[in-house]
């Protein structure tokens, strides 16, 4: 696995520090509110688990899994829900947790989809933000790091389902995804 890595972009330690800060900010912002934290599988599973533990107020944890309708429509933002939430969102404060915002189409879809359920508020936390790839404008309320347009893996982010268990955010060697 390590031999496929060009270099480390963000270290495990930097990630840990950032998650602590984000958790403290979220705890302050939602104190006394009914908070539901929604992790988007699979990429956000690891970040969501760490962020959830960094939140020091009562909160519920749930997950969704969505997919774009195949490679051809990946860029069109047409999504299908594979796993939906267990509970109602009516009048509750929802925090969507993502590993990365790239084109922004996934977040745009999720915000439209979940806003139909009458939440009191809908916010977004993302570990990584790659603004150079954006196709639609989205607001990231709690952002970890802005990253340049490299192919990054680790901390939940995959290439062909691999490398999610790397503890740092790493840049993949170009020959790996070009071959
Ligand atoms: C990745 C990532 C985000 C989404 C961001 O998920 O985890 O969910 O793409 O891209 P966007 O801003 O261009 O929509 P992916 O579809 O690869 O699924 P995975 O989380 O299971 O890896
Ligand atoms: Mn994802
Ligand atoms: Mg992926």
């Amino acid at each position: 696995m390590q031999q496929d890595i060009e270099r480390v972009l963000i270290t495990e330690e930097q990630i840990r520090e950032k998650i602590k800060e984000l958790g403290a900010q979220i705890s302050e912002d939602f104190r006394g509110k009914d908070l539901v934290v929604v992790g988007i599988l699979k990429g956000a599973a690891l970040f969501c688990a760490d962020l959830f533990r960094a939140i020091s107020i009562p909160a519920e944890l749930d997950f969704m899994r969505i997919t774009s309708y195949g490679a051809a429509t990946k860029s069109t933002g047409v999504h299908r829900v594979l796993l939906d939430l267990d509970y109602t969102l009516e009048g509750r404060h929802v925090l969507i947790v993502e590993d990365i915002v790239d084109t922004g189409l996934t977040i745009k879809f999720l915000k439209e989809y979940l806003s139909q359920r009458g939440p009191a508020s809908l916010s977004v936390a993302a570990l990584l933000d790659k603004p150079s790839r954006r196709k639609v404008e989205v607001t990231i309320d709690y952002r970890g790091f802005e990253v340049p347009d490299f192919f990054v893996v680790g901390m939940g982010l995959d290439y062909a389902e691999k490398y999610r268990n790397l503890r740092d955010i790493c840049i993949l060697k170009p020959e790996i995804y070009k071959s």
Side-chain angles (χ1 to χ4, degrees), residues 10-48:
I10 305 165
T11 66
E12 178 183 8
E13 183 56 34
Q14 289 175 293
I15 296 167
R16 191 176 15 242
E17 275 309 305
K18 186 66 79 176
I19 290 176
K20 211 190 279 178
E21 288 169 26
L22 293 175
Q25 188 63 54
I26 291 164
S27 305
E28 193 181 311
D29 294 352
F30 292 95
R31 197 168 300 279
K33 292 179 175 166
D34 182 11
L35 176 63
V36 187
V37 174
V38 177
I40 309 304
L41 300 173
K42 297 178 219 173
L46 285 80
F47 171 52
C48 189

Short mmCIF file of all heavy atoms in Angstrom, two decimals, residues 10-48:
data_model
loop_
_atom_site.label_atom_id
_atom_site.label_comp_id
_atom_site.label_asym_id
_atom_site.label_seq_id
_atom_site.Cartn_x
_atom_site.Cartn_y
_atom_site.Cartn_z
N ILE A 10 -1.56 15.55 4.26
CA ILE A 10 -2.02 15.98 5.58
C ILE A 10 -1.79 14.81 6.54
O ILE A 10 -2.23 13.69 6.27
CB ILE A 10 -3.52 16.37 5.56
CG1 ILE A 10 -3.80 17.42 4.49
CG2 ILE A 10 -3.97 16.88 6.93
CD1 ILE A 10 -5.26 17.59 4.14
N THR A 11 -1.11 15.09 7.64
CA THR A 11 -0.77 14.00 8.55
C THR A 11 -1.93 13.65 9.48
O THR A 11 -2.82 14.46 9.73
CB THR A 11 0.44 14.36 9.44
OG1 THR A 11 0.05 15.44 10.31
CG2 THR A 11 1.63 14.79 8.61
N GLU A 12 -1.83 12.45 10.01
CA GLU A 12 -2.80 11.95 10.99
C GLU A 12 -2.93 12.94 12.15
O GLU A 12 -4.03 13.21 12.64
CB GLU A 12 -2.31 10.59 11.48
CG GLU A 12 -3.18 9.96 12.53
CD GLU A 12 -2.61 8.64 13.02
OE1 GLU A 12 -1.47 8.29 12.66
OE2 GLU A 12 -3.33 7.96 13.77
N GLU A 13 -1.80 13.48 12.59
CA GLU A 13 -1.77 14.43 13.70
C GLU A 13 -2.52 15.72 13.36
O GLU A 13 -3.30 16.23 14.17
CB GLU A 13 -0.30 14.72 14.06
CG GLU A 13 -0.10 15.64 15.25
CD GLU A 13 -0.77 15.12 16.51
OE1 GLU A 13 -0.82 13.90 16.69
OE2 GLU A 13 -1.26 15.95 17.30
N GLN A 14 -2.29 16.24 12.16
CA GLN A 14 -3.00 17.45 11.71
C GLN A 14 -4.51 17.19 11.63
O GLN A 14 -5.31 18.05 11.99
CB GLN A 14 -2.50 17.89 10.32
CG GLN A 14 -1.11 18.47 10.30
CD GLN A 14 -0.66 18.75 8.87
OE1 GLN A 14 -0.46 17.83 8.09
NE2 GLN A 14 -0.53 20.01 8.53
N ILE A 15 -4.87 16.02 11.17
CA ILE A 15 -6.29 15.64 11.07
C ILE A 15 -6.91 15.59 12.47
O ILE A 15 -8.00 16.13 12.70
CB ILE A 15 -6.45 14.29 10.35
CG1 ILE A 15 -5.97 14.38 8.89
CG2 ILE A 15 -7.91 13.81 10.40
CD1 ILE A 15 -5.80 13.04 8.20
N ARG A 16 -6.18 14.97 13.39
CA ARG A 16 -6.68 14.83 14.76
C ARG A 16 -6.93 16.20 15.40
O ARG A 16 -7.98 16.44 16.01
CB ARG A 16 -5.67 14.03 15.60
CG ARG A 16 -6.25 13.62 16.94
CD ARG A 16 -5.34 12.74 17.80
NE ARG A 16 -3.96 12.71 17.40
CZ ARG A 16 -3.30 11.60 17.00
NH1 ARG A 16 -3.93 10.46 16.93
NH2 ARG A 16 -2.02 11.65 16.67
N GLU A 17 -5.97 17.12 15.22
CA GLU A 17 -6.12 18.47 15.75
C GLU A 17 -7.32 19.19 15.15
O GLU A 17 -8.10 19.84 15.85
CB GLU A 17 -4.84 19.29 15.47
CG GLU A 17 -3.76 19.10 16.51
CD GLU A 17 -4.27 19.29 17.93
OE1 GLU A 17 -4.84 20.37 18.22
OE2 GLU A 17 -4.13 18.37 18.75
N LYS A 18 -7.45 19.08 13.84
CA LYS A 18 -8.55 19.75 13.13
C LYS A 18 -9.90 19.22 13.58
O LYS A 18 -10.85 19.99 13.79
CB LYS A 18 -8.37 19.56 11.62
CG LYS A 18 -9.35 20.33 10.77
CD LYS A 18 -9.16 21.82 10.88
CE LYS A 18 -7.99 22.30 10.05
NZ LYS A 18 -7.86 23.78 10.09
N ILE A 19 -10.00 17.90 13.74
CA ILE A 19 -11.27 17.30 14.16
C ILE A 19 -11.65 17.78 15.56
O ILE A 19 -12.82 18.03 15.85
CB ILE A 19 -11.21 15.76 14.05
CG1 ILE A 19 -11.15 15.34 12.58
CG2 ILE A 19 -12.40 15.10 14.76
CD1 ILE A 19 -10.98 13.86 12.33
N LYS A 20 -10.66 17.94 16.40
CA LYS A 20 -10.90 18.45 17.76
C LYS A 20 -11.53 19.86 17.68
O LYS A 20 -12.51 20.14 18.36
CB LYS A 20 -9.57 18.49 18.52
CG LYS A 20 -9.69 18.27 20.01
CD LYS A 20 -8.37 18.56 20.73
CE LYS A 20 -7.38 17.42 20.65
NZ LYS A 20 -6.09 17.76 21.33
N GLU A 21 -10.95 20.70 16.84
CA GLU A 21 -11.47 22.07 16.66
C GLU A 21 -12.88 22.06 16.09
O GLU A 21 -13.76 22.78 16.57
CB GLU A 21 -10.59 22.86 15.65
CG GLU A 21 -9.23 23.26 16.16
CD GLU A 21 -8.35 23.78 15.01
OE1 GLU A 21 -8.88 24.28 14.00
OE2 GLU A 21 -7.11 23.67 15.14
N LEU A 22 -13.10 21.25 15.05
CA LEU A 22 -14.43 21.20 14.42
C LEU A 22 -15.47 20.70 15.42
O LEU A 22 -16.56 21.25 15.51
CB LEU A 22 -14.40 20.29 13.18
CG LEU A 22 -13.56 20.76 11.99
CD1 LEU A 22 -13.55 19.69 10.89
CD2 LEU A 22 -14.09 22.08 11.42
N GLY A 23 -15.10 19.68 16.20
CA GLY A 23 -16.02 19.12 17.19
C GLY A 23 -16.40 20.15 18.24
O GLY A 23 -17.56 20.24 18.66
N ALA A 24 -15.41 20.94 18.66
CA ALA A 24 -15.68 21.97 19.67
C ALA A 24 -16.61 23.05 19.11
O ALA A 24 -17.55 23.49 19.79
CB ALA A 24 -14.35 22.60 20.12
N GLN A 25 -16.37 23.45 17.87
CA GLN A 25 -17.21 24.46 17.23
C GLN A 25 -18.64 23.97 17.05
O GLN A 25 -19.61 24.67 17.35
CB GLN A 25 -16.60 24.85 15.87
CG GLN A 25 -17.29 26.03 15.20
CD GLN A 25 -17.17 27.31 16.02
OE1 GLN A 25 -16.06 27.70 16.37
NE2 GLN A 25 -18.28 27.93 16.34
N ILE A 26 -18.77 22.73 16.60
CA ILE A 26 -20.10 22.14 16.40
C ILE A 26 -20.84 22.03 17.74
O ILE A 26 -22.02 22.36 17.84
CB ILE A 26 -19.97 20.75 15.71
CG1 ILE A 26 -19.50 20.93 14.26
CG2 ILE A 26 -21.29 19.97 15.76
CD1 ILE A 26 -18.96 19.66 13.61
N SER A 27 -20.13 21.62 18.77
CA SER A 27 -20.73 21.49 20.10
C SER A 27 -21.25 22.83 20.60
O SER A 27 -22.32 22.91 21.22
CB SER A 27 -19.71 20.94 21.09
OG SER A 27 -19.17 19.73 20.62
N GLU A 28 -20.49 23.88 20.33
CA GLU A 28 -20.90 25.22 20.74
C GLU A 28 -22.13 25.68 19.94
O GLU A 28 -23.10 26.18 20.51
CB GLU A 28 -19.72 26.18 20.48
CG GLU A 28 -19.85 27.54 21.12
CD GLU A 28 -18.63 28.40 20.75
OE1 GLU A 28 -17.49 27.92 20.88
OE2 GLU A 28 -18.84 29.54 20.31
N ASP A 29 -22.09 25.47 18.64
CA ASP A 29 -23.16 25.94 17.75
C ASP A 29 -24.50 25.22 17.99
O ASP A 29 -25.56 25.78 17.76
CB ASP A 29 -22.76 25.78 16.29
CG ASP A 29 -21.59 26.69 15.90
OD1 ASP A 29 -21.20 27.54 16.73
OD2 ASP A 29 -21.06 26.53 14.79
N PHE A 30 -24.44 23.96 18.41
CA PHE A 30 -25.68 23.18 18.52
C PHE A 30 -26.05 22.87 19.98
O PHE A 30 -26.92 22.03 20.24
CB PHE A 30 -25.57 21.88 17.71
CG PHE A 30 -25.53 22.14 16.23
CD1 PHE A 30 -24.32 22.22 15.56
CD2 PHE A 30 -26.69 22.32 15.50
CE1 PHE A 30 -24.26 22.47 14.20
CE2 PHE A 30 -26.66 22.58 14.14
CZ PHE A 30 -25.43 22.66 13.48
N ARG A 31 -25.43 23.54 20.91
CA ARG A 31 -25.75 23.32 22.32
C ARG A 31 -27.23 23.58 22.57
O ARG A 31 -27.77 24.58 22.12
CB ARG A 31 -24.90 24.23 23.20
CG ARG A 31 -24.87 23.80 24.66
CD ARG A 31 -23.80 24.54 25.44
NE ARG A 31 -22.45 24.32 24.91
CZ ARG A 31 -21.70 23.24 25.18
NH1 ARG A 31 -22.18 22.29 25.97
NH2 ARG A 31 -20.51 23.09 24.67
N GLY A 32 -27.89 22.64 23.24
CA GLY A 32 -29.31 22.79 23.54
C GLY A 32 -30.23 22.49 22.36
O GLY A 32 -31.44 22.65 22.45
N LYS A 33 -29.65 22.05 21.24
CA LYS A 33 -30.46 21.74 20.06
C LYS A 33 -30.46 20.23 19.80
O LYS A 33 -29.57 19.51 20.25
CB LYS A 33 -29.90 22.48 18.84
CG LYS A 33 -30.09 23.99 18.96
CD LYS A 33 -29.51 24.74 17.78
CE LYS A 33 -29.83 26.23 17.91
NZ LYS A 33 -29.02 27.03 16.97
N ASP A 34 -31.48 19.80 19.08
CA ASP A 34 -31.66 18.38 18.77
C ASP A 34 -30.85 18.06 17.50
O ASP A 34 -31.32 18.28 16.39
CB ASP A 34 -33.16 18.13 18.57
CG ASP A 34 -33.48 16.68 18.30
OD1 ASP A 34 -32.58 15.83 18.47
OD2 ASP A 34 -34.62 16.39 17.90
N LEU A 35 -29.63 17.56 17.69
CA LEU A 35 -28.68 17.37 16.58
C LEU A 35 -28.64 15.93 16.08
O LEU A 35 -28.49 14.99 16.86
CB LEU A 35 -27.28 17.80 17.04
CG LEU A 35 -26.12 17.61 16.07
CD1 LEU A 35 -26.31 18.44 14.80
CD2 LEU A 35 -24.79 17.96 16.74
N VAL A 36 -28.75 15.79 14.75
CA VAL A 36 -28.58 14.49 14.11
C VAL A 36 -27.38 14.58 13.17
O VAL A 36 -27.35 15.42 12.26
CB VAL A 36 -29.82 14.08 13.28
CG1 VAL A 36 -29.67 12.64 12.77
CG2 VAL A 36 -31.10 14.23 14.08
N VAL A 37 -26.40 13.73 13.40
CA VAL A 37 -25.19 13.70 12.58
C VAL A 37 -25.34 12.59 11.55
O VAL A 37 -25.58 11.44 11.89
CB VAL A 37 -23.95 13.46 13.46
CG1 VAL A 37 -22.69 13.29 12.62
CG2 VAL A 37 -23.77 14.62 14.46
N VAL A 38 -25.23 12.96 10.26
CA VAL A 38 -25.47 12.01 9.18
C VAL A 38 -24.20 11.79 8.36
O VAL A 38 -23.78 12.66 7.59
CB VAL A 38 -26.62 12.51 8.26
CG1 VAL A 38 -26.82 11.54 7.10
CG2 VAL A 38 -27.91 12.68 9.05
N GLY A 39 -23.59 10.64 8.53
CA GLY A 39 -22.39 10.29 7.77
C GLY A 39 -22.77 9.69 6.43
O GLY A 39 -23.70 8.89 6.34
N ILE A 40 -22.02 10.07 5.39
CA ILE A 40 -22.32 9.57 4.05
C ILE A 40 -21.32 8.47 3.68
O ILE A 40 -20.14 8.72 3.44
CB ILE A 40 -22.27 10.72 3.00
CG1 ILE A 40 -23.14 11.91 3.47
CG2 ILE A 40 -22.71 10.20 1.63
CD1 ILE A 40 -24.60 11.56 3.78
N LEU A 41 -21.83 7.23 3.67
CA LEU A 41 -21.00 6.06 3.38
C LEU A 41 -20.60 6.02 1.91
O LEU A 41 -21.35 6.50 1.08
CB LEU A 41 -21.79 4.79 3.74
CG LEU A 41 -22.22 4.70 5.23
CD1 LEU A 41 -23.13 3.50 5.42
CD2 LEU A 41 -21.01 4.63 6.13
N LYS A 42 -19.43 5.44 1.60
CA LYS A 42 -18.56 4.88 2.60
C LYS A 42 -17.48 5.87 3.03
O LYS A 42 -16.93 5.76 4.12
CB LYS A 42 -17.84 3.63 2.04
CG LYS A 42 -18.76 2.50 1.67
CD LYS A 42 -17.89 1.36 1.09
CE LYS A 42 -18.58 0.72 -0.08
NZ LYS A 42 -17.73 -0.26 -0.75
N GLY A 43 -17.15 6.78 2.17
CA GLY A 43 -15.99 7.64 2.37
C GLY A 43 -15.94 8.35 3.71
O GLY A 43 -14.88 8.47 4.32
N ALA A 44 -17.10 8.82 4.19
CA ALA A 44 -17.12 9.63 5.40
C ALA A 44 -17.13 8.81 6.69
O ALA A 44 -17.09 9.37 7.78
CB ALA A 44 -18.33 10.57 5.38
N ALA A 45 -17.17 7.48 6.58
CA ALA A 45 -17.33 6.64 7.77
C ALA A 45 -16.25 6.91 8.83
O ALA A 45 -16.54 7.01 10.02
CB ALA A 45 -17.32 5.16 7.37
N LEU A 46 -15.02 7.05 8.39
CA LEU A 46 -13.91 7.21 9.35
C LEU A 46 -13.89 8.61 9.96
O LEU A 46 -13.78 8.76 11.19
CB LEU A 46 -12.57 6.87 8.67
CG LEU A 46 -12.37 5.36 8.45
CD1 LEU A 46 -13.11 4.86 7.23
CD2 LEU A 46 -10.91 5.02 8.37
N PHE A 47 -13.99 9.62 9.11
CA PHE A 47 -14.05 11.00 9.60
C PHE A 47 -15.26 11.19 10.52
O PHE A 47 -15.16 11.81 11.59
CB PHE A 47 -14.11 11.96 8.41
CG PHE A 47 -14.39 13.40 8.75
CD1 PHE A 47 -13.62 14.07 9.70
CD2 PHE A 47 -15.40 14.10 8.11
CE1 PHE A 47 -13.86 15.41 10.00
CE2 PHE A 47 -15.65 15.44 8.41
CZ PHE A 47 -14.89 16.09 9.37
N CYS A 48 -16.39 10.63 10.13
CA CYS A 48 -17.62 10.78 10.91
C CYS A 48 -17.47 10.15 12.29
O CYS A 48 -17.89 10.73 13.30
CB CYS A 48 -18.80 10.18 10.15
SG CYS A 48 -20.39 10.55 10.90
#
